Amino acid sequence: MNQEIIRVLLIEDDEDDYLLLDDLLSELERLKVLLDWENTYRGGLAAIKKSQHDVYLVDYRLGEKDGLELLQTEIVKNCQIPIILLTAQNDEELDIAALSLGAADYLHKSEIKSYILERVILYAIERNQNFKALKESQAKLQEAEKIAHLGNWEYDINTEKITLSDEASRIFGFNGNKSEITYSELLKRFVSESQELLKENLALVLEKKAYAESEYKIIRPDGKFRYIYTKSTLVVNNNSETKGIFGTMLDITERKEAELELQKIRQKEHLLGIIIDRINQSLNLEEILETIVHSVRDFLECDRVIIYRFLSDSSGIVEKESVREGYPTLLGRVIGDPFFSDENILERYKKGYINIVNDVDIREIKESYQNLFRLFQVKANIALPILINQQEIETQTSGIVVWGLLIAHHCREKREWEKSETDLLKRLANKIGIAIQKAQLYDRLKQLNQELEKIAYIDVLTGVYNRRHFEEKLLEEWRRLERDRASMSIIMVDVDCFKFYNDTYGHQQGDKCLQQVAQTIRATVKRPGDFVARYGGEEFAVVLPNTPIKGAFQVAENIRTEIEALKIPHQASAVSKWVTSSLGLANINCDSQSNPELLIQAADMALYNAKISGRNRVEIYNTSMQNLEEQKQEINLVRQLKDALGENRFCLYGQTILPLHEGVKTKLCEILLRFWDGSGKVISPTTFLSVAERYHLMLRIDRWVIKTLLSYLSLPQITKLYQDLIFTVNLSGVSINDSSFSEFIEHQFAISQVSPKQICFEITETVAIANLENAAKFIRSLKKLGCSFVLDDFGTGMSSFYYLKNLPVDYLKIDGMFIRNIEQDSLSQGIVESIYNIGKTMDLKVIAEYIETESILNKITDLGIDYGQGFHIEKPSQLITMV
């Protein structure tokens, strides 16, 4: 990377400060600085007169004189080079005085760091260049005034006509022959804020006979904005009567745009300063990336900013996101980008390639890429590579790697990305790469520390935890379980007759024996939360949190049999010709009335009983026990359900409901629900729905299903794919009885623009009959929108046909137990036929579920049933996932 060469003059009488600044300037990344030094006031003035530098750094203390005097002297002489005052004093008045005298900036010596010095120097030079541009613009304006290159206008209060000079007409963009216009015509050329200001100023001139001058923003017929500066005064006749207003105007657009650009530069530097300070002060990568996406979206005023990390294949995941309300979130989405199929793209990114799209609809963009943009509602896009220097410690090699992309989306309309915006994003992408490398190094250091810490916890001989860590971890687990009054089991394991084993085979063989025993115990204790420790010479302890006595006994018995199965010879044993073990087991509820020491003592007592009872056995300490395992599992499932709702770990599956006759045209698909538990395992509804109902989670789950499904169906490509399909959605009783639920559904239809005719709700017969009035009211309200309804599990109640006439449903779904038994049970077949006949009489379509064999399908078809559903027809498949 080419560095910009900057010549800096330091006027400083302290050699130590000179050396310090010289060192700091040599560390700068983007600048190459040539530093000259003058240590006296006079020498500094002489050097400044030569004008050979880009920036002056002036110390406040310069012997008898100070930096303020030098500053004042040079500003009076119209010095064109920016001067930055250096001070060791924390004096706000001094800082204000320096700026008021014309200093470009000031720095406190105690706060100077290389990156701060770099930013201040760059900012001073950049601002000085803009100030020069402004001065040049002002000089041109003054010259224009001298040669009368000004527009003028005159307002006649009697006719309300405004006469414009040729130059004034040109400024406003009127046709050359249009020199006279009405006041209202002129007013339309001003933006709304300037219109109000113009009215106020004209009133001021007319009413108070005062002189007025202002700056206005106008809009020309070609849609371009201009800025004008006007002076206006009252015009009177010989009798001092008001005739109108005369004014001059000057086009100051260039000056104004320079001021606005300078303001943008300041904002950009401020933002960059905040982010760089955060990066330099924090090792928390999550916090840094969050700051960047939110700050960039605010600064660019765009609709979405994401940080996208590449995966091992040609896809990536959205790590961080800031998105404007109303646009879909991509956070956590794995996205396969067709652009990455180009093998050279990563090499181009390594060389600094920036993908800029001002309008996604232009022909040059591939259709596959356009489709991806449209899926995320993107109209303009800019993507910059995040590069890191990946170091391989094992091979001692390193190289530039494209870690991911910093991407900004504009969704409302197409957008021209400005160079200043691109420059800002380039610098930020570079800082992100540095932050990632720092975080990786920090994580590596943490890992090494953890490995060192682990060594301190492990018994060197056996590889299991040592006694010290056992005591620490036991107390930690106890406190954790104590909050819920949960139970804990401990197994104490002792190798039988081990003293005699050592005496017979020697200590080396004894060590090998203990190693085999320890590894066997650890292999038998498989749950992640359980742990094994060497408690004494030949004694081991096994801690089983949240394990009742029955389960702990099975673990203990498995340990005993596995040790014996090792068949380690032991001729000196009084128990067996093989090495065996004795085990003591105790279980207790962790609460304030007990403690870990009591549990260990109980297990020790049980171990003692095992030994005196003949060894090679498991003994349980005789204490009261409470088996709360089922309740704990249920509570754990509730916790997982709540986490799944909060983290979008639910997913939707679909199962076809197949038309069985040519006369049945409408296609149906039932929406089924699954969720991922913490380990990534997919959990079926039979496991969690009853628990969700008991713990009042079904209303939230039903709302999630409806909102997610309608959002999915609203996507353009999905709408076309499923436009002829009706989706059936199961609803719980609590949702049907919720007074606001139908309003929620109606609102979701309005947001998604999905036709209500495409949605059919399934209500079980049990739920409908339990509150018939509410169910009927709910059904009628949504049928008005166009929704249809299925009465599910029909036939389970004794009064099914009686209640059916009060429920305006469209489909009947026969309870599955009748379908399963239809071949073997004539009564089941009769019930199915009756349901079909009543459905036909009431002009309802009938659905048979649980069709699991070809013969059942044939039977159902022969009976004339309209639809079939079941594993024989189609197994459920995943429809949509939000993670």
Side-chain angles (χ1 to χ4, degrees), residues 709-729:
L709 176 62
L710 294 183
S711 176
Y712 175 66
L713 295 179
S714 69
L715 298 174
Q717 69 276 27
I718 301 302
T719 301
K720 293 179 182 178
L721 184 64
Y722 295 131
Q723 59 186 355
D724 297 325
L725 193 62
I726 293 178
F727 292 88
T728 71
V729 180

Side-chain angles (χ1 to χ4, degrees), residues 22 113 121 166 233 314:
D22 192 32
K113 296 181 174 59
I121 290 175
D166 291 343
T233 187
S314 60

